[in-house]
Amino acid sequence: MAFGKKPSQSEIDGVQYRRVPTWCIALAEMQAGAAMAFYSLVGLMSYVANEGYGIALAVAGVILTGTRWFDGIIDPFLAIWIDKLNTRFGKLRILMLLGLTIRSIAVLLLFVWFSGKTQSIALFIILYMVNIVGNSIYDIAGNMLPAVMTNDPRQRPTVQVWATIYNYAFPMVLSMLSVMVILPMFGNQYTKEMLSLTCVIYVIVAWVMTLIACIGLTPVDKPENFMGISAGEEDNVTLKDMAKFLTDNRPFQLYVTAAVADKLASQVNSQAIVSTMLFGILIGNIQFGTMLSMLSMLPSIGFAILGARYCGKHGSKESIVTWTRVCLVIGIINIVFCSLIDMHSISTNIGLTACFFLLLLAMNASKMCVTTSNGSMRADIVDYELDRSGKYMPGIVTATYNFIDQLISSLGATIATVAVGFVGYVNTVPQPTDPATPGIKAMALALYFGMPIVGWICTLIAMRFYKLSKAELVQVQKRIAEKKEQILAAQAK
């Protein structure tokens, strides 16, 4: 397919599916890498609040939770506007550039221009809320990609493969840059100067990735790819549609239960204060521990391809169940292993180093497969809702998910900050040079490995009642195709 031409068609299971070249997917999903650059900055927000604005750690946790609720509240209104937005240039590229501009200005103000110059809690909150507005616009547009790029059940997991690779690779590279290069420049202390330099680098990376993504989106970011199958009503999306979707769409309810449980766990163990406790305090060498963790992700990224192939062959539901069970077993083994050893020895004993590395590798690999299936499942729900209601509203689906996600996963920062308060960090933050204690070890393992285990258990329970199997989704696509043909025939008359 030449650049800018319409996506090709392929027939599988008696359905004509829309496909795009792999290079388009690879470029378009670079928006995920840009999003993860800002996600990494959010992980440092507790530090910038404490170091740059003099806000106590526990108070910072409450602020970050409350502002994420604000994120959830504005998402429905943004989604309605997004689903109604139609221009001859499409919508995704416009929305991504708008969101990126807003969030870039906000984080630069937070990390660079005002950090260390004021003790104003109000200013910190206002700037963080501006960042959230930009974040919501960008993320809603980015999360619409799997549904818009293709509806081919065998290609759709490929979209998520690239998103998964970027979701893991970019935070890994940026974290290594931050911990291995920038942090030592400032005496292994999270100072306001260290945080400012980190922010500038992350913002530059985000802009480069987004501009590349816009190139990949060109063939599909067109008005005809955002049409519904209810003639004359495709733009008539309201808050009532969102409420009806949330209350009536049972597969979505089960999906969001599973996904949000995992997201909450991820929010907790991705906090910088948690990784500092595990790698810096318990292992005793934050550079070594972080490098070990990051290196374990490199080969595990390849498992995203395995997960996509499994998902394409067996469907999203079966794939999520299979790999979640693997995650659960490996997570338990990780806790047992770390509980039985002196974790300081990991950095000096080659045998323990190898065991810890392999356990991290196994957990990351299985998580990759779950993440790949998760993205495909949300796109499946967009199609199911199109078949059910006749309205194509990927923005509403994404925003409804985000609304619930923000309300629940926003507790991640609070859980982490309150939890570490029980081991002595109330007005200060964990630093890599702090001494290890049994309480710190127990808390670090509970937050880093225990929280994901709880999320995986919730996923397995929810998936027992989820009905959108691979066979059912084939029927969904057939019904959509038939309805579109009826509308075109009626318009032709």
Side-chain angles (χ1 to χ4, degrees), residues 367-384:
K367 285 170 65 177
M368 288 285 184
C369 296
V370 172
T371 302
T372 300
S373 306
N374 186 288
S376 297
M377 183 172 282
R378 191 188 305 181
D380 292 342
I381 290 172
V382 172
D383 291 336
Y384 173 73

Side-chain angles (χ1 to χ4, degrees), residues 162-487:
W162 288 99
T164 301
I165 290 173
Y166 297 140
N167 281 338
Y168 281 86
F170 279 97
M172 177 179 65
V173 172
L174 292 174
S175 179
M176 290 189 70
L177 174 65
S178 176
V179 174
M180 306 295 292
V181 179
I182 301 176
L183 191 60
M185 292 169 56
F186 298 90
N188 274 351
Q189 296 288 315
Y190 286 94
T191 65
K192 58 181 180 294
E193 292 80 12
M194 179 268 172
L195 296 166
S196 296
L197 178 59
T198 301
C199 176
V200 171
I201 294 173
Y202 285 17
V203 168
I204 292 173
V205 169
W207 271 95
V208 172
M209 295 300 98
T210 300
L211 292 175
I212 294 174
C214 288
I215 296 174
L217 278 169
T218 302
V220 296
D221 193 14
K222 300 179 182 298
E224 60 264 27
N225 289 330
F226 299 93
M227 295 178 62
I229 56 176
S230 295
E233 296 182 3
E234 59 268 17
D235 295 331
N236 188 25
V237 180
T238 66
L239 282 174
K240 184 178 179 180
D241 291 315
M242 177 176 285
K244 185 175 179 59
F245 165 72
L246 180 57
T247 56
D248 294 352
N249 194 310
R250 181 64 171 169
F252 176 77
Q253 295 168 356
L254 295 169
Y255 162 75
V256 80
T257 299
V260 170
D262 283 347
K263 183 68 175 292
L264 175 59
S266 176
Q267 285 285 336
V268 172
N269 75 0
S270 68
Q271 296 296 311
I273 55 177
V274 176
S275 58
T276 297
M277 288 170 60
L278 184 70
F279 300 122
I281 299 175
L282 295 181
I283 294 180
N285 186 329
I286 191 169
Q287 281 77 29
F288 177 82
T290 301
M291 182 176 64
L292 204 63
S293 177
M294 296 300 104
L295 289 177
S296 72
M297 286 187 182
L298 285 174
S300 66
I301 289 175
F303 280 81
I305 300 174
L306 172 64
R309 289 179 177 175
Y310 191 91
C311 182
K313 183 177 181 180
H314 299 281
S316 302
K317 176 184 176 179
E318 183 175 335
S319 183
I320 285 179
V321 170
T322 298
W323 295 111
T324 297
R325 287 172 178 167
V326 176
C327 286
L328 184 60
V329 172
I330 296 172
I332 293 172
I333 294 174
N334 265 293
I335 290 181
V336 173
F337 173 77
C338 292
S339 299
L340 296 177
I341 67 169
D342 175 10
M343 294 187 67
H344 264 274
S345 301
I346 290 176
S347 60
T348 57
N349 185 307
I350 190 170
L352 293 178
T353 299
C355 289
F356 188 63
F357 173 80
L358 290 175
L359 286 172
L360 288 178
L361 172 60
M363 187 171 73
N364 289 331
S366 52
K367 285 170 65 177
M368 288 285 184
C369 296
V370 172
T371 302
T372 300
S373 306
N374 186 288
S376 297
M377 183 172 282
R378 191 188 305 181
D380 292 342
I381 290 172
V382 172
D383 291 336
Y384 173 73
E385 180 62 23
L386 175 60
D387 175 43
R388 192 179 72 90
S389 68
K391 295 185 177 181
Y392 187 66
M393 41 189 198
I396 291 291
V397 175
T398 296
T400 306
Y401 168 79
N402 286 351
F403 175 73
I404 301 170
D405 169 55
Q406 300 297 348
L407 292 180
I408 305 300
S409 66
S410 62
L411 298 173
T414 299
I415 291 172
T417 52
V418 171
V420 300
F422 285 110
V423 291
Y425 296 104
V426 178
N427 296 313
T428 59
V429 291
Q431 295 289 356
T433 52
D434 293 345
T437 66
I440 289 177
K441 181 174 183 177
M443 188 60 68
L445 295 181
L447 295 175
Y448 198 84
F449 296 115
M451 283 297 298
I453 288 175
V454 174
W456 295 325
I457 292 173
C458 292
T459 295
L460 291 176
I461 294 173
M463 287 299 101
R464 291 194 63 179
F465 305 97
Y466 184 84
K467 73 174 186 178
L468 294 184
S469 63
K470 181 182 179 182
E472 174 60 25
L473 285 165
V474 169
Q475 299 306 314
V476 166
Q477 291 293 351
K478 287 183 177 180
R479 291 193 293 268
I480 290 174
E482 290 172 358
K483 292 174 184 177
K484 285 186 176 181
E485 289 177 1
Q486 291 171 5
I487 291 174

Side-chain angles (χ1 to χ4, degrees), residues 34-46 48 53 63-72 74-75 78 95-114 122-140 199 202-203 206-207 267 402 406:
M36 294 310 295
F38 285 92
Y39 180 78
S40 298
L41 286 177
V42 171
L44 294 171
M45 204 62 71
S46 297
V48 79
Y53 296 84
I63 291 173
L64 295 178
T65 297
T67 48
R68 282 178 64 84
W69 289 344
F70 167 73
D71 192 353
I74 65 172
D75 275 350
L78 290 173
L95 292 168
M96 286 166 52
L97 291 173
L98 174 62
L100 180 61
T101 299
I102 295 172
R103 73 200 310 192
S104 297
I105 293 173
V107 296
L108 288 172
L109 288 170
L110 272 170
F111 280 77
V112 182
W113 297 323
F114 285 116
L123 178 62
F124 177 85
I125 294 174
I126 291 171
L127 292 178
Y128 190 62
M129 290 172 70
V130 173
N131 168 67
I132 285 173
V133 173
N135 175 77
S136 293
I137 295 173
Y138 191 95
D139 284 355
I140 291 174
C199 176
Y202 285 17
V203 168
W207 271 95
Q267 285 285 336
N402 286 351
Q406 300 297 348

Side-chain angles (χ1 to χ4, degrees), residues 146-163:
V148 176
M149 294 289 287
T150 176
N151 64 348
D152 188 327
R154 298 188 184 184
Q155 189 182 43
R156 186 165 275 173
T158 303
V159 180
Q160 195 58 36
V161 165
W162 288 99

